[in-house]
Amino acid sequence: MQKPSIPKGTRDFGPEQMSKRLFIFDTIRQTFRRYGFQPLETPAMENLSVLMGKYGEEGDQLLFKILNSGDFAGGLTETDWQSGAKKLTQKISEKGLRYDLTVPFARYVVMNRHALPMPFKRYQMQPVWRADRPQKGRYREFYQCDADVVGTDSLLCEAEIVLMVHEVLRNLGIQDFTLKINNRKILAGIAEAIGMPGQEGALAVAIDKLDKIGQEKVIDELRERGFSDESLSRLQPIFGFSGEAAEMLQSLKGWLSSSETAQTGIAELEEVWQLVSQYGLVDSQLELDVTLARGLSYYTGAIFEVKANGVQIGSISGGGRYDNLTGAFGQPGLSGVGISFGVDRIYDVMEELNLFPAGSQQSTQVLIVHFDTDARAVGLPLLSRLRQEGVMAEAYPDITKLKKQLDYANQKNIPYVVLIGSEEVQTGQLSVKNMVTGEQQKQTVEELIARFSQL
Amino acid sequence: MQKPSIPKGTRDFGPEQMSKRLFIFDTIRQTFRRYGFQPLETPAMENLSVLMGKYGEEGDQLLFKILNSGDFAGGLTETDWQSGAKKLTQKISEKGLRYDLTVPFARYVVMNRHALPMPFKRYQMQPVWRADRPQKGRYREFYQCDADVVGTDSLLCEAEIVLMVHEVLRNLGIQDFTLKINNRKILAGIAEAIGMPGQEGALAVAIDKLDKIGQEKVIDELRERGFSDESLSRLQPIFGFSGEAAEMLQSLKGWLSSSETAQTGIAELEEVWQLVSQYGLVDSQLELDVTLARGLSYYTGAIFEVKANGVQIGSISGGGRYDNLTGAFGQPGLSGVGISFGVDRIYDVMEELNLFPAGSQQSTQVLIVHFDTDARAVGLPLLSRLRQEGVMAEAYPDITKLKKQLDYANQKNIPYVVLIGSEEVQTGQLSVKNMVTGEQQKQTVEELIARFSQL
């Protein structure tokens, strides 16, 4: 018999990993809720008509497609068979797996627009699937945790995202991080100012690689993309900005004085900074980075990217403002802004920095060990009472050797074991063993309950 | 442009439904944890080699299959195309969507058996997908919430399932329910005792319909399945059992005295009752039902089924013991017992009986309404402090008319609104409006924080 396996790029999450992941999910969810975001879940399967064309040509190929049910091959002709995978897919598949949470969100908003409060603030924490080539840190199934507001262009929403990022990461214990912000309008203004108006897309794609390939290669790439030497020399200042945000914004105003778009972007960033300060954010880790571009995305205003410092792991969160979330579904003009947390990378950061609190992995707190049915008759009501007090407790189900039962406690990382044998049944004094220190003491049922209900 | 839609049999869960669903999930999860079950998640996609043949021929057809990525049609010949959907599927699809949580659990246990504590207690709460014909109450995507113990045949596990069902339903507010229990060995013993040994499968399938079609039609069906008139007359007592479990078990002992298997099943049920009573379960709603069969399932010992009383909704939970969970994956001899909660039906029961607590739907508790930027400068630090106190609070992002902001509060079911205008800025006395009673009063920031932090 073949040994069973799971599809490449997918993962099982066993108890230890799950406990840690649930800690991350719960922390993010609590913050989202505290900021007034409401939960949404959409189906894993979407109609391909909803998904196709939303993620570029590469995205279309990376969608997992679901074979139609029943006799999917029945009505097909030889021509269909020979038309190639792409055309054939249209005949035998109508549904695909969710590729991100943004397109399903946009679809949901369009389908329910009359029933939703506007602005609409939703969070969504669900897996997505991409037929990418699996590699270290890249999976075919992974969770996204998104919060978006649509139906307003108030910059208060950007400020709230800044606050939420700080709150989520600090609650997770990730104290040292950098939240970079930029504005797509500044990038557009730079393209204008260097004489390449409308080329901010190409500019963004190249500049996005600055961290990885360095300044020279970015310049090379832009030259290949048709940026003249003069444009590139006028671009130089972009690589030199640093320091306090307020000073940088002043310098930008001067450099980009010819571009109205850039001035709007700069003013927006100034307002975000002002709002964040009004909120009273302590030890802000917000930084302006005029080279932050976030690729060929649909962002039109603020863009965000978050990295944990001290680890070699990519961005753990990102987002931005978009002007036309639902345009592809026939409802133009809905502006919104969102942030997405990457649970897998956050997990890796927390593992590497040893940030998971001890309690997050612990499940059962007390194991009751009994040696015969008389002892079990004493143990079971104790077990019920412990659970009534909210203690996570269990009894080893079989009557067996002590060693086996203690091994079980150790394997499950259970800190306390209550031992009940014939002596304990007679005296009413049960033995409690601390599995960490090895310490053992005798206590009555009432003492035990009082003690463990405070765990 | 075509209006977007979702695949039939699937659903979006908006904020109100999600809040209620999360209440159900959290309640089930808490109980599972309190009983020492640990979380597991498996991928949505499994290799078809893992899934196929595990759910019968009908199940194989109801699996959602995923089209292979890339040029899936490249290497196919005309013969392949003409071989029919079933054979062709094998050539163009290697993966399918999870159909239940039991087979992935079995696969996980086999792949990780050396690392798992035994007995292994896991819970799993994830969606499953079935290409069933959608109808009222039957969906193509739905959640299962399962808890299983494998690696022990201790009847303590059955007793714990009885306790967990009581605890979950009572914590949800479903006080009036019936937890029916039977034992497959008793059904096997009945088949023996009426002279149809080995025919308990057919017996189970027919008897399973007793509630729906009545005694006469069950008899008719069994006759068609080859049960003789003599067998059927010897079967009569099964329809007459009622009363206290202890008495019924006594009567069963007499009726089925010729079957050793039945005697084992009866003894097992007696022990479960004894254990449940040792645990001290108050107002047990456990009932013996010798006609409970749970279809053609893989159960070999205890079987469970739970119905809420007073509503016309099918079973909301069910489970049982199986002897050979992992046999199909080459690891025989692992006995286990499990229970599954159906979130969709529990949701329907709670809706119909109006059992969702008021708090479960509420998200934001306080909305801050400001009329200009000066007012906003007072509102934002207040907002931060409220959130620090754990209050779910938000500000309306735009500076706009009062009516629009109050409409938003009403639509989101926000109970309190803090109004800040120029007068409030000057006096420091903010207006707080109770959106339910309409009552309005003036309070300072400190008074407000003290008040709302107790919400």
Side-chain angles (χ1 to χ4, degrees):
Chain A
M1 185 169 315
Q2 218 190 327
K3 274 173 81 175
S5 62
I6 54 175
K8 61 179 176 180
T10 70
R11 295 161 290 170
D12 288 321
F13 297 109
E16 195 192 321
Q17 285 165 298
M18 271 306 294
S19 299
K20 292 175 178 172
R21 287 170 67 87
L22 288 171
F23 175 73
I24 298 174
F25 287 129
D26 286 346
T27 303
I28 295 174
R29 183 190 297 281
Q30 274 166 24
T31 296
F32 285 168
R33 291 189 69 200
R34 197 146 43 223
Y35 281 74
F37 288 83
Q38 296 181 297
L40 172 71
E41 286 194 1
T42 62
M45 296 184 283
E46 292 275 353
N47 290 320
L48 281 177
S49 55
V50 164
L51 299 176
M52 298 287 282
K54 306 301 187 300
Y55 307 106
E57 202 168 322
E58 200 200 343
D60 284 354
Q61 280 169 26
L62 297 184
L63 289 170
F64 279 108
K65 284 130 195 150
I66 293 163
L67 205 50
N68 292 341
S69 303
D71 184 18
F72 65 88
L76 293 179
T77 64
E78 206 180 322
T79 326
D80 292 327
W81 294 130
Q82 290 167 356
S83 61
K86 198 173 158 185
K87 282 198 171 164
L88 187 53
T89 301
Q90 296 170 13
K91 303 265 178 178
I92 62 177
S93 170
E94 283 168 1
K95 294 185 283 287
L97 292 182
R98 189 166 57 217
Y99 184 87
D100 71 358
L101 302 179
T102 306
V103 167
F105 172 51
R107 181 208 32 83
Y108 175 81
V109 168
V110 170
M111 285 176 68
N112 297 276
R113 59 190 174 279
H114 300 303
L116 298 179
M118 277 295 163
F120 180 54
K121 298 166 78 170
R122 84 86 175 79
Y123 74 84
Q124 194 168 353
M125 300 165 60
Q126 291 190 279
V128 301
W129 295 270
R130 298 181 184 180
D132 251 322
R133 191 174 298 275
Q135 50 180 261
K136 189 176 178 302
R138 192 198 282 167
Y139 304 100
R140 293 185 147 190
E141 174 181 65
F142 58 97
Y143 264 80
Q144 292 191 331
C145 296
D146 288 15
D148 289 80
V149 199
V150 286
T152 173
D153 49 17
S154 165
L155 294 167
L156 209 62
C157 304
E158 275 83 341
E160 295 237 305
I161 284 178
V162 171
L163 297 178
M164 284 207 296
V165 166
H166 280 76
E167 186 170 318
V168 164
L169 296 184
R170 286 172 180 175
N171 287 348
L172 289 172
I174 303 176
Q175 299 292 341
D176 189 9
F177 62 91
T178 305
L179 166 51
K180 289 185 175 177
I181 188 172
N182 195 10
N183 192 305
R184 269 300 180 98
K185 295 186 179 108
I186 294 181
L187 288 172
I190 292 172
E192 287 174 20
I194 65 172
M196 298 291 281
Q199 292 302 302
E200 64 268 23
L203 191 64
V205 169
I207 285 191
D208 217 27
K209 301 177 190 160
L210 186 60
D211 268 2
K212 281 185 199 149
I213 63 177
Q215 182 176 334
E216 266 183 60
K217 289 202 168 141
V218 167
I219 297 284
D220 288 348
E221 178 169 334
L222 286 170
R223 194 176 285 113
E224 276 169 39
R225 286 172 178 270
F227 284 64
S228 67
D229 283 343
E230 200 200 325
S231 309
L232 291 173
S233 91
R234 283 157 80 180
L235 183 63
Q236 274 303 325
I238 202 178
F239 302 111
F241 282 100
S242 71
E244 287 298 309
E247 292 166 33
M248 285 167 72
L249 288 168
Q250 279 308 319
S251 314
L252 277 173
K253 273 187 202 170
W255 179 39
L256 304 173
S257 59
S258 65
S259 162
E260 212 174 299
T261 317
Q263 299 300 320
T264 309
I266 294 165
E268 287 182 6
L269 282 183
E270 284 179 329
E271 189 174 341
V272 171
W273 245 276
Q274 191 205 349
L275 289 168
V276 168
S277 124
Q278 283 185 353
Y279 272 102
L281 177 62
V282 178
D283 293 331
S284 165
Q285 283 166 273
L286 181 65
E287 276 183 18
L288 173 60
D289 181 353
V290 288
T291 68
L292 179 66
R294 288 192 69 74
L296 256 181
S297 50
Y298 43 80
Y299 297 122
T300 51
I303 41 182
F304 301 101
E305 193 167 274
V306 186
K307 279 189 182 154
N309 298 324
V311 284
Q312 291 299 320
I313 291 169
S315 65
I316 54 177
S317 175
R321 178 171 287 278
Y322 37 82
D323 266 349
N324 197 7
L325 176 71
T326 53
F329 299 116
Q331 189 180 26
L334 262 190
S335 176
V337 57
I339 188 79
S340 183
F341 289 92
V343 170
D344 293 296
R345 290 216 179 136
I346 289 175
Y347 185 99
D348 291 345
V349 167
M350 292 182 66
E351 272 296 36
E352 195 164 327
L353 300 177
N354 205 14
L355 293 178
F356 285 105
S360 70
Q361 282 114 285
Q362 198 198 292
S363 49
T364 302
Q365 298 158 306
V366 180
L367 177 73
I368 295 180
V369 160
H370 46 250
F371 299 109
D372 55 38
T373 50
D374 287 346
R376 193 172 66 184
V378 172
L380 298 187
L382 169 60
L383 190 51
S384 286
R385 288 194 53 194
L386 286 172
R387 287 170 177 163
Q388 275 159 23
E389 296 291 329
V391 180
M392 295 182 281
E394 56 183 306
Y396 193 86
D398 300 287
I399 292 170
T400 182
K401 284 174 298 190
L402 175 62
K403 184 179 177 307
K404 203 164 176 186
Q405 304 199 41
L406 293 184
D407 283 351
Y408 178 81
N410 281 325
Q411 257 193 296
K412 280 189 88 166
N413 206 15
I414 300 174
Y416 295 100
V417 168
V418 177
L419 304 155
I420 314 179
S422 52
E423 192 194 316
E424 282 81 3
V425 171
Q426 273 171 22
T427 62
Q429 294 278 328
L430 312 188
S431 303
V432 189
K433 181 170 181 166
N434 181 322
M435 295 297 284
V436 184
T437 63
E439 199 188 341
Q440 197 161 325
Q441 66 186 113
K442 298 265 185 184
Q443 291 191 301
T444 65
V445 164
E446 296 306 323
E447 286 166 349
L448 272 176
I449 288 168
R451 171 180 180 179
F452 289 129
S453 60
Q454 280 158 24
L455 278 183
Chain B
M1 184 169 314
Q2 218 191 328
K3 276 173 78 175
S5 62
I6 52 175
K8 62 179 176 179
T10 70
R11 295 162 291 171
D12 288 320
F13 298 109
E16 195 192 322
Q17 285 165 299
M18 270 307 292
S19 300
K20 292 175 179 173
R21 288 170 65 87
L22 287 171
F23 175 74
I24 298 173
F25 288 129
D26 287 346
T27 303
I28 295 174
R29 182 189 299 280
Q30 274 165 25
T31 297
F32 284 169
R33 292 190 68 199
R34 196 146 44 223
Y35 281 74
F37 288 83
Q38 296 181 298
L40 172 70
E41 286 194 0
T42 62
M45 297 185 283
E46 292 277 352
N47 290 320
L48 282 177
S49 55
V50 164
L51 298 176
M52 298 286 281
K54 306 302 188 301
Y55 307 105
E57 202 168 323
E58 201 200 341
D60 284 353
Q61 281 170 26
L62 297 183
L63 290 170
F64 279 108
K65 284 130 195 149
I66 292 163
L67 206 49
N68 292 341
S69 303
D71 184 18
F72 65 87
L76 293 180
T77 64
E78 206 180 323
T79 325
D80 292 327
W81 295 128
Q82 291 168 353
S83 60
K86 199 173 156 184
K87 282 198 171 164
L88 187 54
T89 301
Q90 296 170 13
K91 303 265 178 180
I92 62 177
S93 170
E94 282 168 2
K95 292 184 285 288
L97 293 181
R98 188 167 55 217
Y99 184 87
D100 72 359
L101 303 179
T102 306
V103 167
F105 171 51
R107 187 221 10 96
Y108 174 81
V109 168
V110 170
M111 284 176 68
N112 298 276
R113 58 189 175 279
H114 300 303
L116 298 178
M118 278 292 163
F120 180 53
K121 297 166 80 171
R122 85 86 174 79
Y123 74 85
Q124 193 169 353
M125 300 166 61
Q126 291 190 280
V128 301
W129 296 270
R130 297 180 184 182
D132 250 323
R133 190 174 299 276
Q135 50 179 262
K136 188 176 178 299
R138 190 198 284 168
Y139 304 101
R140 292 185 149 191
E141 174 180 63
F142 57 97
Y143 264 80
Q144 292 191 331
C145 297
D146 288 14
D148 289 80
V149 198
V150 285
T152 171
D153 49 17
S154 165
L155 294 166
L156 209 64
C157 304
E158 275 83 343
E160 294 237 304
I161 284 178
V162 170
L163 297 177
M164 284 208 296
V165 166
H166 280 76
E167 185 170 318
V168 164
L169 297 183
R170 286 171 179 172
N171 288 347
L172 288 171
I174 304 176
Q175 299 292 342
D176 188 10
F177 62 90
T178 305
L179 165 52
K180 288 184 177 177
I181 189 172
N182 195 11
N183 192 303
R184 269 301 181 95
K185 295 188 180 106
I186 294 180
L187 287 172
I190 292 173
E192 286 174 19
I194 66 172
M196 300 291 282
Q199 293 302 302
E200 64 268 24
L203 191 64
V205 170
I207 285 190
D208 218 28
K209 301 176 188 159
L210 186 60
D211 268 3
K212 282 185 198 148
I213 63 177
Q215 181 177 335
E216 266 183 60
K217 288 202 169 140
V218 167
I219 297 283
D220 289 348
E221 179 170 334
L222 286 170
R223 193 175 287 116
E224 276 169 38
R225 285 173 180 271
F227 284 63
S228 67
D229 283 344
E230 201 202 322
S231 307
L232 292 173
S233 93
R234 283 158 80 181
L235 182 63
Q236 274 302 325
I238 201 176
F239 302 111
F241 282 100
S242 70
E244 288 297 310
E247 292 166 33
M248 285 167 72
L249 289 168
Q250 279 309 318
S251 312
L252 277 173
K253 274 188 201 170
W255 180 38
L256 303 173
S257 59
S258 65
S259 162
E260 212 174 299
T261 316
Q263 298 301 321
T264 308
I266 294 165
E268 287 182 8
L269 283 182
E270 284 179 330
E271 189 174 342
V272 171
W273 245 276
Q274 192 206 348
L275 289 168
V276 167
S277 127
Q278 283 186 354
Y279 273 102
L281 176 63
V282 178
D283 292 331
S284 165
Q285 283 166 273
L286 181 66
E287 276 183 17
L288 173 60
D289 181 353
V290 287
T291 68
L292 178 67
R294 289 193 68 77
L296 257 180
S297 49
Y298 42 81
Y299 298 121
T300 51
I303 42 182
F304 301 102
E305 193 167 274
V306 187
K307 281 189 178 151
N309 298 324
V311 285
Q312 290 297 319
I313 291 169
S315 65
I316 54 178
S317 175
R321 177 171 288 278
Y322 36 81
D323 266 350
N324 196 6
L325 176 71
T326 53
F329 299 117
Q331 189 181 27
L334 262 190
S335 177
V337 57
I339 188 79
S340 183
F341 289 92
V343 169
D344 293 296
R345 290 214 180 141
I346 288 175
Y347 185 101
D348 291 344
V349 167
M350 292 182 66
E351 271 300 36
E352 196 164 325
L353 299 177
N354 205 13
L355 294 179
F356 285 106
S360 69
Q361 283 113 285
Q362 199 200 290
S363 49
T364 302
Q365 297 159 308
V366 179
L367 178 73
I368 294 180
V369 160
H370 46 251
F371 299 109
D372 55 37
T373 50
D374 286 348
R376 195 172 64 185
V378 172
L380 297 188
L382 169 60
L383 191 50
S384 286
R385 288 194 52 194
L386 286 172
R387 287 169 176 164
Q388 274 160 24
E389 295 292 328
V391 180
M392 295 181 283
E394 56 183 308
Y396 193 87
D398 300 288
I399 292 170
T400 182
K401 283 175 299 193
L402 175 62
K403 185 180 176 306
K404 204 165 175 185
Q405 304 198 41
L406 293 183
D407 283 351
Y408 178 81
N410 281 326
Q411 258 192 297
K412 278 189 89 164
N413 208 16
I414 300 174
Y416 294 100
V417 167
V418 177
L419 303 154
I420 313 179
S422 51
E423 193 195 313
E424 281 81 4
V425 172
Q426 272 170 22
T427 62
Q429 293 278 329
L430 313 187
S431 303
V432 188
K433 183 170 179 166
N434 180 321
M435 296 297 283
V436 183
T437 63
E439 200 188 339
Q440 197 160 325
Q441 66 187 109
K442 299 263 184 185
Q443 291 191 301
T444 65
V445 164
E446 296 306 324
E447 286 167 346
L448 273 176
I449 288 167
R451 172 182 179 178
F452 289 129
S453 60
Q454 279 159 26
L455 280 183

